[in-house]
Amino acid sequence: MKNQTTKSWSLFHGLIMAVALGGPLAAQDMSLGEFEFMNSCAACHGADGKGNGSITGYLNQSVPDLTQLQKDNGGVFPVTGAYSFIAGGAEVGAHGSRDMPAWGRRYMIRAEGDPDFLGGDVAQEYVNIRILALIEHLAGIQEK
């Protein structure tokens, strides 16, 4: 258990430093938010967020243009709404039920016994950081 806790804290602190310093992740030249977007959203929403992802032809519903969130909200980026949607507080429609949303368990706290289990407050902070980084990326791709 101690080894798992040490691993969890090391991962958590490394992630905090990457976010705090605003530096690129590993060898890629992208922010944590862009990394999250490319891994969780781009297949449907496209790398540019305009709803033209590689799997849109297989979907039964149109995919929203995420570059218009601010425009559609009176010129203010909807941080609370975006957080609620990603974290699970809002209905997800095309993403499926909250038991199995399109992004799987990526933004959920893992249970003990899961290989990616972090535990307690560390897990919640890890999830929050990833969601906030994704929201920051979304805010950065808004069109005027």
Side-chain angles (χ1 to χ4, degrees):
M1 183 67 169
K2 183 178 179 184
N3 192 20
Q4 179 66 34
T5 302
T6 303
K7 176 183 167 188
S8 299
W9 276 107
S10 295
L11 175 64
F12 176 68
H13 285 113
L15 186 58
I16 291 288
M17 291 305 294
V19 172
L21 297 174
L25 284 177
Q28 290 79 19
D29 190 21
M30 65 175 63
S31 68
L32 175 60
E34 184 179 2
F35 176 81
E36 291 294 336
F37 184 84
M38 296 306 291
N39 280 292
S40 300
C41 313
C44 294
H45 293 282
D48 59 2
K50 293 186 170 288
N52 56 359
S54 61
I55 67 168
T56 57
Y58 301 102
L59 303 176
N60 294 328
Q61 296 180 335
S62 62
V63 178
D65 180 344
L66 297 179
T67 67
Q68 300 299 308
L69 296 174
Q70 183 169 308
K71 180 181 172 193
D72 294 344
N73 193 48
V76 177
F77 185 79
V79 174
T80 304
Y83 189 96
S84 179
F85 188 87
I86 297 165
E91 290 297 317
V92 293
H95 290 123
S97 72
R98 275 294 163 198
D99 293 332
M100 175 125 10
W103 51 81
R105 299 179 332 139
R106 189 163 182 83
Y107 300 108
M108 297 172 69
I109 297 174
R110 308 295 199 324
E112 192 164 356
D114 186 308
D116 295 323
F117 174 68
L118 295 176
D121 294 338
V122 175
Q124 185 61 54
E125 291 301 320
Y126 179 66
V127 169
N128 289 341
I129 288 168
R130 293 172 74 191
I131 292 171
L132 291 172
L134 176 55
I135 289 171
E136 180 180 35
H137 176 73
L138 290 173
I141 64 169
Q142 296 304 296
E143 292 183 351
K144 304 286 181 198

